Amino acid sequence: MNDRRLEWLAEGTEVFGRELAALSDAALDAPSLLPGWTRRHLLAHVGHNAHALMRLLHWARTGEETPMYKDAAARDREIAEGAALAPSALRDLVITSAAELRQAIDSLPERAWSAEVVTAQGRTVPATEVPWMRCREVWVHAVDLDGGVSFDRFPAAMLDELIDDITTTLQRRGQPPALLVEPTDRTRRWRVDIDGQPPATGRVRAPAKQHPGSAAPAVPELGRWL
Ligand code: ZN
């Protein structure tokens, strides 16, 4: 297993847990940064995501096909039900599931890491992708919790891997717009080439969130990534 990813996962889980602990029960009812989702929805999703990834590890270990979710409707229902839990139960769902997933990762037999499983997006990947998938979840959703964590807080090498992941996904799908990603604090550049389109570029400095009325940066509108 890639140790660096396991370290990022541990750190991201800790950051997410700290953010959650800092929120009062009443604050859980407030919106997250994800459209249409309160913090409660986000927490239910993060908790159930850990269970879903444990199903992939079970699949890798046993060969029994246990997908992340039965279907999209089942996933949405689970989130809606989780969001309605009492605050203490919701907190417990997030913390306990994260610990269980970590235990499942740490106890996966070496040979199972190369076993192939299928993600919720329908992609066949080796089980080694599972810790990375969780890494993305805890870090990006720590930002979505809207408690003050920003992408500046991420380990720099993990941000690179995240940009790799996003641009590779967009390129594989041929999803417009064409992009040229050129961070000001790195020498690397990333591209998404779409036939016949000049690449959109944009420049934005933290904070990512714009105050109403401030000049909007020239950053292109992006579609869904996951
Ligand atoms: Zn998610």
Side-chain angles (χ1 to χ4, degrees):
M1 235 346 270
N2 183 324
D3 287 342
R4 197 166 68 154
R5 287 177 162 191
L6 291 179
E7 275 167 31
W8 296 337
L9 172 57
E11 189 184 350
T13 303
E14 202 182 297
V15 166
F16 193 95
R18 255 201 319 266
E19 289 299 300
L20 173 55
L23 293 170
S24 69
D25 286 351
L28 302 185
D29 299 335
S32 73
L33 292 183
L34 292 176
W37 273 11
T38 65
R39 286 177 172 139
R40 286 175 155 279
H41 291 95
L42 185 64
L43 294 172
H45 163 61
V46 169
H48 287 304
N49 167 265
H51 292 148
L53 293 175
M54 283 165 71
R55 286 192 280 276
L56 291 191
L57 294 180
H58 173 86
W59 183 345
R61 200 176 64 240
T62 65
E64 182 197 355
E65 290 187 23
T66 44
M68 290 180 70
Y69 304 102
K70 194 167 132 262
D71 51 39
R75 175 180 176 272
D76 292 348
R77 199 169 45 243
E78 201 171 56
I79 291 169
E81 285 170 8
L85 288 171
S88 60
L90 189 51
R91 291 174 192 274
D92 187 57
L93 169 67
V94 173
I95 302 304
T96 306
S97 61
E100 287 169 353
L101 174 61
R102 183 62 203 225
Q103 198 176 25
I105 287 172
D106 290 341
S107 62
L108 196 77
E110 196 54 44
R111 55 167 177 78
W113 284 113
S114 56
E116 289 189 329
V117 294
V118 180
T119 70
Q121 283 79 39
R123 230 157 54 81
T124 300
V125 298
T128 46
E129 281 300 295
V130 171
W132 171 245
M133 289 162 71
R134 180 63 178 178
C135 216
R136 290 188 318 215
E137 290 293 314
V138 289
W139 278 103
V140 175
H141 289 325
V143 176
D144 294 331
L145 263 183
D146 200 18
V149 173
S150 77
F151 285 89
D152 291 351
R153 174 74 184 71
F154 289 38
M158 189 196 147
L159 271 182
D160 287 0
E161 216 164 302
L162 204 50
I163 302 172
D164 274 343
D165 189 345
I166 295 169
T167 50
T168 303
T169 301
L170 296 176
Q171 184 68 68
R172 187 174 52 237
R173 287 191 203 142
Q175 182 174 321
L179 289 175
L180 174 61
V181 182
E182 197 170 10
T184 51
D185 56 355
R186 284 162 172 67
T187 51
R188 277 189 70 183
R189 309 161 105 206
W190 288 263
R191 298 180 64 102
V192 176
D193 293 305
I194 307 288
D195 277 351
Q197 281 190 20
T201 57
R203 197 166 260 248
V204 62
R205 288 196 58 80
K209 272 196 293 175
Q210 286 293 306
H211 293 289
S214 66
V219 172
E221 194 70 34
L222 298 183
R224 278 185 69 96
W225 153 49
L226 285 175

